[in-house]
Amino acid sequence: MYALILLTLITVCYAAYNLLVKVSGSHAGASAPIFATIGLQLAALSVSLVYLAVLMRQGAAVALPPRALLFGIAAGCCIGAAEVMYFYLFRGIAGEPGMSAGVAIPVIVGGTIVIAMLVAGVVFGETFAPVQWAGIMLTLGGMLLLALGARQ
């Protein structure tokens, strides 16, 4: 039950994150996306530091193996690059208008689901039931319909 509550909270936070990036990216001049990304990263760091302080105050053992640090840094580089691109996607780039949140967010999230599932199968050796593969096919179909609808 706690996992379901946590899953719901994470989903709400990610939805809010996506929508707030859309709103933030639509403001001001050419450098605004970069500064918005820095602000986003500083806010994320602040939340992490508060959580670390809570863990330390509770007496939890705080350790970071070097391999975990390297993967964390790699993940941070990926999300940092994605965030910069995200801001430009929503505000527009090279004279093109910004993409709508109703198309961009579902396609990005759906694409993330498909890529993560494929990598989980190939790299991590996870197996999936036929119903899960059907879910991936439906996700791909939904992404295609959203992209086609955006062209009209």
Side-chain angles (χ1 to χ4, degrees):
M1 180 64 176
Y2 288 113
L4 185 57
I5 293 169
L6 188 58
L7 180 64
T8 302
L9 291 172
I10 292 168
T11 303
V12 169
C13 286
Y14 269 115
Y17 156 79
N18 284 301
L19 295 169
L20 291 169
V21 167
K22 164 68 174 172
V23 173
S24 179
S26 65
H27 291 278
S31 62
I34 299 303
F35 288 115
T37 300
I38 292 168
L40 187 154
Q41 292 294 332
L42 290 173
L45 175 62
S46 298
V47 169
S48 296
L49 289 173
V50 167
Y51 184 64
L52 177 61
V54 168
L55 286 176
M56 292 174 73
R57 186 175 172 101
Q58 293 174 346
V62 180
L64 182 63
R67 194 166 163 98
L69 177 61
L70 289 175
F71 281 114
I73 289 170
C77 290
C78 289
I79 197 64
E83 286 167 356
V84 170
M85 292 184 279
Y86 221 11
F87 281 106
Y88 282 103
L89 177 69
F90 285 135
R91 80 176 292 247
I93 189 165
E96 293 182 6
M99 189 172 282
S100 73
V103 172
I105 295 169
V107 170
I108 291 167
V109 172
T112 302
I113 292 166
V114 171
I115 291 167
M117 190 166 173
L118 292 175
V119 170
V122 172
V123 176
F124 303 136
E126 295 181 14
T127 58
F128 305 103
V131 70
Q132 291 172 300
W133 286 111
I136 288 298
M137 298 311 293
L138 289 171
T139 300
L140 287 170
M143 291 167 49
L144 178 64
L145 292 174
L146 283 166
L148 291 173
R151 291 183 154 194
Q152 297 178 355

